Amino acid sequence: MARLVALQQNQLSFPPLASSLSDFNGTRLQTHIQLKRKTWKPKGSFYVSASSTKKILIMGGTRFIGVFLSRQLVKEGHQVTLFTRGKAPITQQLPGESDTDFADFSSKILHLKGDRKDYDFVKSSLSAEGFDVVYDINGREAEEVEPILDALPNLEQFIYCSSAGVYLKSDLLPHAEIDAVDPKSRHKGKLETESLLQSKDVNWTSIRPVYIYGPLNYNPVEEWFFHRLKAGRPIPIPGSGIQITQLGHVKDLATAFLKVLGNNKASKQIFNISGDKYVTFDGLARACAKAGGFPEPELVHYNPKDFDFGKKKSFPFRDQHFFASVEKAKSVLGLEPDYGLVEGLTDSYNLDFGRGTFRKEADFSTDDIILGKSLVSSNIAWVDFRRRMKSRFRELKELCYIGVQRRFSDKFSEFLKTLVELFSPRTPIRALPLPEAVPKSITSEAEVDVMVTPPPVYYITTVSGTKPIMNAEDSSSELIPMVLKSLQELNNENQVVRSRLDKQDEMFKKHVETNTKIEGLLHAILSKLPPLP
């Protein structure tokens, strides 16, 4: 039931206080007011308490934030009207919402169809309705707000959804409401709207969310991660992955919008709204995996400057530290988020993506560019190594044939040293698991360039007691010991050759035989190397 505290001008000559007339100039007023439900509007000045029923207009309200806000307002007993173009249904049953709750909401929500950029229609329709409060959820430009203010001269409160994106990039974080703003940001229209509100004689409140997530989110925030986790793909993350950001659940944001309604402490104030915890990019990927019940994700870091993605975004967050303080909202409004990050992501997954619903189809094109270039770089490194090995082998082979024995021995010793270092247990070995779609052998960089299904790249370090994972080896743990053994055999052979050269240069035939054996051993080594990707 709505409660109106109505005061006639001939009863009191002073305006009522927010404390419901409890004190005036230090004197207790013994006032007894009989509250009765009225169907008429009292004459003279009047005051509507914060708990009274409001006639509320929401600009927007059918996509994301307004869906949850409108439900909270209706449950509080307010008369709520959505102003939309009518392209989307005014009501839709939410996942987990009971039939009874949905039917109750649908029976109470009202609709005003129109285009907010049709300023004449906005002025005429809003002035005819005479709303008490306006929530502007989808306003982007100041010129869209001015007709609303002109149409409602007796507006009690204008509550605006701005953005933390208006802050000027800074090394001093978190952003506070008093921080410098960027007039050139892509949210400059919201900044100009805040300036317009400050210049008008209107009671306003501006909410600056950071990143918003939750069920029905039309921005690719958590959905971006969920798509990759479901597909079992690596998650490309720019830079080091330790960039810090911040997310707030849409239901907590709706609660914040409700908290400022009729709140004198919120009059002409700006509030940052988000979760009270910060998270790194890597941490967010792991949190999404945990929320959806996926295994630990494989994270691939890359330098965005190495790529040209055209107009496509390769990552849904700005590549920088970006988070804001919510201490003002907590202290002034008493706002405490109901959702922790993992809990909120779980709510989003269970009520949306996990049910098979999402706003945008998966697009892995930029991922493939990132992962493909990383793989090609790795493959080219292997191709180059093999090329150098073959080149050295041909040189050694020629030396054998022309009989430049001492030079061959010196060169071969150097070659053995290089190979021993390469296959040392202290050296990281790179293994490239190859799916069937990728050729099993690649002999040129040109063939590397045509690969379209890049496999994941793993790095392993062979240390004592561990088994190295090498490609196309049934018994992978035997590969490196076998190579080292072969190299030792070659080295022993080489020492024999050097000894014979020092003592018996005339024993050319035996030396040729040794060279032939060495050549065979080199062939054996090359055949035991990890196969080309």
Side-chain angles (χ1 to χ4, degrees):
M1 179 181 295
R3 294 194 299 116
L4 290 180
V5 181
L7 303 174
Q8 297 296 335
Q9 286 185 353
N10 56 3
Q11 290 176 316
L12 294 173
S13 60
F14 52 85
L17 302 179
S19 56
S20 297
L21 309 179
S22 60
D23 294 281
F24 178 70
N25 292 336
T27 303
R28 174 73 61 180
L29 293 178
Q30 302 296 330
T31 306
H32 302 280
I33 301 179
Q34 181 68 34
L35 298 178
K36 295 183 180 180
R37 186 168 184 172
K38 301 288 186 179
T39 59
W40 45 270
K41 184 175 180 181
K43 297 180 180 180
S45 63
F46 63 97
Y47 170 77
V48 183
S49 69
S51 60
S52 298
T53 297
K54 307 283 188 182
K55 190 174 182 180
I56 296 176
L57 175 68
I58 298 180
M59 303 299 292
T62 59
R63 295 185 69 188
F64 186 34
I65 302 172
V67 171
F68 297 96
L69 173 59
S70 59
R71 279 165 169 75
Q72 290 200 30
L73 291 171
V74 167
K75 285 182 179 180
E76 290 291 319
H78 301 293
Q79 179 184 309
V80 180
T81 300
L82 305 183
F83 186 106
T84 78
R85 289 175 293 177
K87 293 186 176 181
I90 300 306
T91 60
Q92 55 178 321
Q93 189 166 5
L94 301 181
E97 185 178 31
S98 69
D99 293 341
T100 302
D101 287 344
F102 176 64
D104 181 68
F105 173 74
S106 300
S107 66
K108 295 176 180 178
I109 197 73
L110 303 175
H111 182 222
L112 181 57
K113 182 179 178 180
D115 187 342
R116 70 174 300 161
K117 293 187 177 181
D118 184 349
Y119 302 141
D120 291 336
F121 174 78
V122 169
K123 290 180 181 179
S124 61
S125 60
L126 268 59
S127 61
E129 292 289 340
F131 295 99
D132 301 320
V133 178
V134 172
Y135 280 96
D136 194 349
I137 303 300
N138 62 8
R140 295 182 177 275
E141 304 295 336
E143 66 179 17
E144 300 172 355
V145 173
E146 195 158 13
I148 300 174
L149 302 179
D150 293 341
L152 301 169
N154 298 320
L155 187 66
E156 294 179 19
Q157 190 174 14
F158 188 93
I159 303 172
Y160 184 61
C161 185
S162 183
S163 170
V166 301
Y167 290 115
L168 185 66
K169 187 175 180 180
S170 172
D171 294 327
L172 301 177
L173 295 169
H175 290 295
E177 288 84 351
I178 60 174
D179 283 359
V181 293
D182 183 5
K184 296 181 180 179
S185 78
R186 69 184 188 93
H187 299 288
K188 64 179 182 179
K190 291 185 175 293
L191 190 60
E192 292 168 353
T193 301
E194 290 182 344
S195 299
L196 172 68
L197 293 173
Q198 293 172 7
S199 68
K200 295 286 186 176
D201 184 21
V202 60
N203 177 28
W204 60 270
T205 304
S206 182
I207 301 296
R208 291 178 179 174
V210 188
Y211 287 110
I212 313 168
Y213 72 105
L216 305 182
N217 192 0
Y218 55 83
N219 285 318
V221 179
E222 69 270 40
E223 182 182 287
W224 187 91
F225 291 93
F226 289 152
H227 271 308
R228 283 148 184 81
L229 291 165
K230 183 179 179 181
R233 295 176 61 93
I235 299 180
I237 295 181
S240 64
I242 62 173
Q243 302 93 314
I244 299 173
T245 191
Q246 183 183 23
L247 290 83
H249 197 283
V250 63
K251 297 176 186 176
D252 285 332
L253 178 59
T255 299
F257 275 116
L258 191 63
K259 286 273 189 180
V260 302
L261 176 62
N263 191 336
N264 290 334
K265 295 180 180 179
S267 178
K268 300 184 178 181
Q269 294 294 317
I270 295 172
F271 295 97
N272 294 331
I273 300 295
S274 192
D276 56 0
K277 294 287 186 181
Y278 312 134
V279 64
T280 63
F281 288 169
D282 283 1
L284 178 56
R286 297 187 186 100
C288 287
K290 187 174 182 180
F294 297 101
E296 182 83 5
E298 178 191 353
L299 308 180
V300 176
H301 297 103
Y302 65 96
N303 183 356
K305 295 181 179 179
D306 292 341
F307 301 90
D308 180 9
F309 301 113
K311 294 182 179 180
K312 289 190 175 182
K313 289 182 64 175
S314 62
F315 195 67
F317 295 82
R318 55 180 70 188
D319 185 13
Q320 65 181 69
H321 296 308
F322 179 57
F323 51 100
S325 170
V326 295
E327 289 305 312
K328 180 178 178 181
K330 294 173 73 173
S331 61
V332 175
L333 304 176
L335 185 66
E336 290 291 340
D338 290 330
Y339 290 89
L341 181 60
V342 175
E343 181 186 5
L345 289 169
T346 302
D347 176 76
S348 178
Y349 184 84
N350 290 341
L351 296 181
D352 198 357
F353 194 91
R355 294 172 178 250
T357 57
F358 44 82
R359 313 292 86 73
K360 297 181 180 179
E361 295 289 341
D363 181 359
F364 302 131
S365 58
T366 57
D367 299 40
D368 291 340
I369 294 173
I370 295 166
L371 298 174
K373 184 169 183 178
S374 299
L375 179 66
V376 167
S377 298
S378 302
N379 288 341
I380 290 177
W382 273 105
V383 170
D384 183 61
F385 168 72
R386 297 273 296 199
R387 185 184 295 113
R388 286 187 286 109
M389 289 275 289
K390 290 180 179 180
S391 175
R392 182 64 64 88
F393 175 76
R394 285 194 296 269
E395 182 181 359
L396 294 174
K397 185 176 179 181
E398 291 173 1
L399 289 173
C400 289
Y401 289 153
I402 66 177
V404 186
Q405 298 164 347
R406 289 189 182 279
R407 182 183 174 199
F408 165 79
S409 183
D410 293 339
K411 288 266 187 181
F412 186 55
S413 296
E414 177 187 346
F415 183 50
L416 285 177
K417 182 179 179 182
T418 301
L419 289 177
V420 169
E421 291 177 351
L422 174 66
F423 287 97
S424 168
R426 297 185 300 274
T427 304
I429 305 297
R430 175 175 293 182
L432 299 173
L434 300 174
E436 294 183 359
V438 179
K440 294 296 182 181
S441 61
I442 299 173
T443 57
S444 69
E445 293 181 14
E447 291 184 61
V448 176
D449 291 337
V450 301
M451 290 192 304
V452 296
T453 310
V457 179
Y458 299 94
Y459 296 86
I460 60 170
T461 303
T462 58
V463 295
S464 177
T466 64
K467 295 181 179 181
I469 303 174
M470 302 298 291
N471 236 13
E473 289 290 331
D474 295 330
S475 180
S476 59
S477 61
E478 299 176 359
L479 176 60
I480 289 182
M482 178 192 67
V483 173
L484 293 175
K485 182 179 179 181
S486 299
L487 292 176
Q488 184 61 47
E489 290 174 357
L490 284 172
N491 190 52
N492 291 340
E493 291 286 350
N494 185 48
Q495 293 301 322
V496 171
V497 171
R498 291 184 67 89
S499 176
R500 288 175 180 175
L501 285 172
D502 289 339
K503 295 178 181 180
Q504 301 180 21
D505 288 344
E506 70 276 5
M507 299 177 65
F508 180 77
K509 289 184 179 181
K510 291 185 178 181
H511 182 50
V512 170
E513 293 174 356
T514 301
N515 287 345
T516 302
K517 185 176 182 179
I518 291 173
E519 179 180 350
L521 288 171
L522 283 172
H523 275 296
I525 290 176
L526 290 174
S527 67
K528 295 296 182 181
L529 286 174
L532 284 172

